Amino acid sequence: MKKRKSFYLALCLMLSSSVMFGAGEKRLSEGANSNSFNAALIPNGNIINGNNISFKGVFCGEDNLIENNFCNDTITNIKEDIAVLGKNPLTNISGKETTINNNSLESQKEETNSNKELIDAVKNELSKYLKISGYVMGRGIFCDSKTNYGGFDIRFFRFIGSGNITNDFSYRFQMEFAGNPRLLDAWLMWKKYDSFSIKTGQMKRPFSLESPISPILIGVAEYSIITTKLAGFTDRVGEHSGGNRDGGIIFAGDFIKPNKRNLFHYEVGVFNGVGINKKDDNNFKDIVGSLYFVPTKDFRIGGGAWFGKYGPKGSEVDRKRWNVGTKYDSKNFFFLSEYTSSVGGIVNNENAAKKTDGWYVLAGTPFVKNVKGFIKYEGYRDNKEWNSLQTRYHFGLNWDLHKNIMLQIAYYYTDERAKRTNYNTAVGQFVFRF
């Protein structure tokens, strides 16, 4: 009989141990009597009291083998009571309903939320003074032209900083790291009044509606020929590539406000006339300006003019241009069209044509979710004669894979009448914005 008691005692202890070490996720229920264990469970399942492992109370079996220390709960009830301890380490157990003190957790949450609000407030305040952005564009070109072999490259890698110094002063700088690293924009603007502002530094000249549009948003992968050749991108006069940027000063503003918006926008600037990151090399300054009628926030129509000379002193050529254009940009439709005429030669090329002109029409619309389609027709005449006409027909798709990721696919067919040649070009571009 003594052996049998020892056997049952050992069995009860093993069962109780398995219960303790297998504790689950329920709260400890009410009803355990005064002889139930008083301890706390740590994550590895050990029962502790203070710093020493201990056990108070002996679990009973069906035969009442240990009369003095038995409780009336069964092993099943003990399992239910202990099942709460798996997820909540150091939960106090006392024979009454166990309560978990969440004050420290709530305090930590409040402190975390308070810190987050402080960080957000600092970020918002700093963003008024400095906002960092930029984008990277990788490109692949496939062309059957005899002079353009296509290939792969990093077309743009731009880093941009902008912000407000005060309510009246703002600034912007932009660096290009693809190819030859260079400074593109660096200007400061005073903007106290809607009708009159002053911007000075290196910036885009106010000529052409297409010129101010970011290269990742032009729809068909390439700027128009007239924007490239007659708006200072890779200008036909011989100016190096600079995206229509130059050092100078611009006066701009809006006026005539019958309701809540101004009907006219103007910009007039004085520039060196040599392009970016270069000192002036003659005694002339270029005057460039534009005026647009803006009856709605989506629509504008107007034109611009450019009067200047390009080239080193003694070898200057004229650069006299004018253009007209219209733009409509809404959520569901985009339209852009311009005509530009130019008078002026090419530096170090006395035989170059003195008169040129060109035009384009671009339209686009979304047709499935996150995808916009564009079509474009353009023409350019290098000597303002039809026998020099170069035409291009474009089709493009812009797919927003993410708010900061875009895939652009474009195709265009080029016909060069003067060279009696035509060719096809396919372009794929992958854009990441930050």
Side-chain angles (χ1 to χ4, degrees):
M1 184 67 178
K2 197 172 185 179
K3 291 183 179 180
R4 188 181 175 201
K5 285 187 177 182
S6 300
F7 172 78
Y8 277 108
L9 177 59
L11 179 62
C12 287
L13 289 173
M14 285 190 293
L15 286 172
S16 64
S17 298
S18 66
V19 171
M20 289 183 290
F21 289 99
E25 298 179 1
K26 291 174 54 182
R27 288 185 60 86
L28 183 63
S29 63
E30 252 183 35
N33 62 32
S34 60
N35 289 325
S36 60
F37 64 91
N38 182 11
L41 183 67
I42 61 174
N44 64 6
N46 292 327
I47 300 298
I48 65 172
N49 183 5
N51 295 320
N52 300 315
I53 296 176
S54 66
F55 180 79
K56 182 178 180 181
V58 178
F59 293 104
C60 60
E62 295 179 357
D63 291 337
N64 285 331
L65 299 180
I66 309 177
E67 292 80 9
N68 292 331
N69 291 319
F70 277 140
C71 65
N72 293 322
D73 292 321
T74 62
I75 295 299
T76 302
N77 290 333
I78 295 298
K79 286 184 178 179
E80 292 178 353
D81 289 342
I82 297 175
V84 302
L85 300 177
K87 277 192 173 180
N88 299 296
L90 300 180
T91 300
N92 293 325
I93 303 170
S94 66
K96 296 182 179 179
E97 180 178 0
T98 300
T99 58
I100 302 173
N101 187 350
N102 288 321
N103 291 339
S104 59
L105 294 177
E106 292 299 327
S107 177
Q108 290 176 6
K109 288 181 180 179
E110 291 176 2
E111 185 178 355
T112 300
N113 291 335
S114 177
N115 291 338
K116 186 177 183 301
E117 290 175 1
L118 178 61
I119 292 172
D120 290 342
V122 171
K123 284 182 178 180
N124 291 334
E125 189 64 24
L126 288 176
S127 67
K128 297 177 183 178
Y129 300 98
L130 175 61
K131 180 181 179 181
I132 299 298
S133 61
Y135 56 89
V136 181
M137 176 185 284
R139 177 176 61 174
I141 301 177
F142 306 90
C143 184
D144 61 4
S145 168
K146 294 180 180 179
T147 57
N148 187 346
Y149 303 105
F152 300 92
D153 66 346
I154 300 298
R155 186 178 183 183
F156 301 114
F157 181 7
R158 299 203 173 168
F159 181 84
I160 304 165
S162 61
N164 297 300
I165 301 173
T166 68
N167 291 334
D168 298 334
F169 287 91
S170 62
Y171 68 93
R172 174 184 169 94
F173 62 87
Q174 181 176 196
M175 290 290 300
E176 173 63 78
F177 292 99
N180 297 319
R182 58 199 182 278
L183 178 67
L184 297 180
D185 296 303
W187 52 257
L188 177 69
M189 181 168 68
W190 176 73
K191 51 178 182 176
K192 186 176 181 62
Y193 305 104
D194 290 341
S195 59
F196 184 75
S197 65
I198 302 174
K199 182 163 65 173
T200 184
Q202 182 168 284
M203 57 211 160
K204 286 199 171 188
R205 291 168 278 210
F207 188 81
S208 166
L209 281 170
E210 190 178 41
S211 171
I213 300 175
S214 168
I216 65 177
L217 300 175
I218 57 175
V220 291
E222 300 290 343
Y223 285 100
S224 303
I225 302 173
I226 60 169
T227 301
T228 302
K229 291 182 175 291
L230 303 181
F233 275 62
T234 307
D235 204 288
R236 75 180 300 270
V237 297
E239 181 181 301
H240 62 289
S241 177
N244 193 24
R245 294 175 175 87
D246 199 1
I249 186 170
I250 292 177
F251 307 95
D254 304 303
F255 61 95
I256 303 182
K257 190 175 182 180
N259 296 311
K260 294 182 178 181
R261 58 177 298 102
N262 291 289
L263 293 179
F264 290 91
H265 175 77
Y266 73 92
E267 293 185 55
V268 179
V270 181
F271 296 90
N272 291 329
V274 294
I276 64 171
N277 306 321
K278 186 178 178 181
K279 292 183 178 180
D280 202 351
D281 55 3
N282 59 43
N283 295 324
F284 298 95
K285 293 292 181 284
D286 287 12
I287 309 298
V288 185
S290 60
L291 176 65
Y292 290 98
F293 175 54
V294 191
T296 72
K297 66 181 181 65
D298 300 326
F299 177 72
R300 64 179 53 204
I301 185 170
W306 187 334
F307 301 96
K309 290 181 179 290
Y310 178 79
K313 186 176 181 179
S315 302
E316 303 95 337
V317 295
D318 288 333
R319 185 153 53 175
K320 300 176 181 179
R321 296 166 181 172
W322 62 271
N323 81 334
V324 292
T326 184
K327 178 182 178 182
Y328 181 82
D329 186 5
S330 69
K331 181 179 179 181
N332 296 318
F333 186 68
F334 179 82
F335 181 84
L336 183 64
S337 182
E338 285 187 284
Y339 171 83
T340 302
S341 178
S342 174
V343 174
I346 299 175
V347 173
N348 299 324
N349 186 353
E350 295 181 357
N351 298 322
K354 301 298 189 290
K355 295 182 178 182
T356 59
D357 70 349
W359 57 88
Y360 69 85
V361 179
L362 169 67
T365 185
F367 59 93
V368 296
K369 185 178 180 180
N370 298 327
V371 179
K372 292 182 179 179
F374 295 86
I375 57 173
K376 183 178 186 178
Y377 163 72
E378 62 175 319
Y380 173 76
R381 299 187 299 176
D382 194 57
N383 63 7
K384 224 170 186 179
E385 298 289 339
W386 289 105
N387 59 9
S388 66
L389 178 65
Q390 178 182 347
T391 57
R392 289 200 305 202
Y393 304 87
H394 302 254
F395 172 76
L397 289 176
N398 290 192
W399 183 10
D400 291 315
L401 302 173
H402 180 268
K403 67 178 182 178
N404 293 324
I405 300 174
M406 178 190 294
L407 175 63
Q408 297 178 325
I409 300 173
Y411 163 81
Y412 55 92
Y413 172 79
T414 304
D415 181 72
E416 298 186 34
R417 186 174 296 182
K419 297 180 181 180
R420 296 184 179 183
T421 184
N422 54 72
Y423 50 90
N424 302 278
T425 305
V427 181
Q429 299 182 148
F430 190 78
V431 182
F432 169 69
R433 291 171 284 202
F434 58 90

